Amino acid sequence: MEILNETNTNTYNFLLWDTNGNAYLDLVECLEATRKFDVRGAPLRFWATLIPPSETRDDRCSVPADSPLTPFNETALFNSSMGPHGCNDYHAWAECLGRVAALYPHLVAVNIDDFSPGNIAGPPYFGLFTPPLLAQMRTAMHSKAPWLSLVPTTYYGFRTRGGFVLDVYPDLPLWVDGLLFYFRNDMHGAGPCAN
């Protein structure tokens, strides 16, 4: 914890990526341990990052476990037929993390990694994340913790179709609370910082 103060780090992004729920249990334990922790007078904030369906495998996905630190059974929220271990039940993830944020208000955002054409629904793509699913997720989160934001990761262009993400999906900002947008200068070609 001392390193957080030394580096003035006030936000920690927790990746949930395993098939036994240990990462989720670690998140809840970390939230409990940092309930009253601050960094130079500001509360330490947490994000939880979920793996998208395009990266889900039998041995890697975002899976919950029933935490002894919460008053509810997390695993009972999930439909186990939705991907390995129910990890593609994103509505259940929204419900679960909304409940966790109500217990631990320093959980402030839910991120979905690589929010890309294979994951977003709508012409020309047919992914899992439709506007109604995203609305249901936001409602589930906000009904328990109004401050909890849905902030998926996106990039300028897509591998399967060039162009700015908001040119392909102009209504995307209406479907989520914000976007985590990594700058890679994709507008000027492929590569991490072309030209």
Side-chain angles (χ1 to χ4, degrees), residues 47-84:
W47 288 36
T49 294
L50 303 173
I51 297 304
S54 60
E55 295 179 25
T56 297
R57 302 185 319 246
D58 286 339
D59 63 337
R60 282 292 207 207
C61 63
S62 301
V63 177
D66 190 28
S67 171
L69 298 174
T70 62
F72 59 94
N73 181 347
E74 288 89 333
T75 58
L77 300 172
F78 287 78
N79 179 342
S80 62
S81 70
M82 296 185 73

Side-chain angles (χ1 to χ4, degrees), residues 15-54:
L15 176 63
L16 302 177
W17 195 13
D18 64 17
T19 54
N20 57 18
N22 284 337
Y24 172 79
L25 294 174
D26 290 345
L27 168 66
V28 177
E29 288 175 16
C30 195
L31 289 167
E32 177 65 30
T34 57
R35 182 186 290 271
K36 297 184 189 290
F37 182 78
D38 65 64
V39 177
R40 299 184 186 206
L44 179 63
R45 295 170 294 211
F46 281 84
W47 288 36
T49 294
L50 303 173
I51 297 304
S54 60

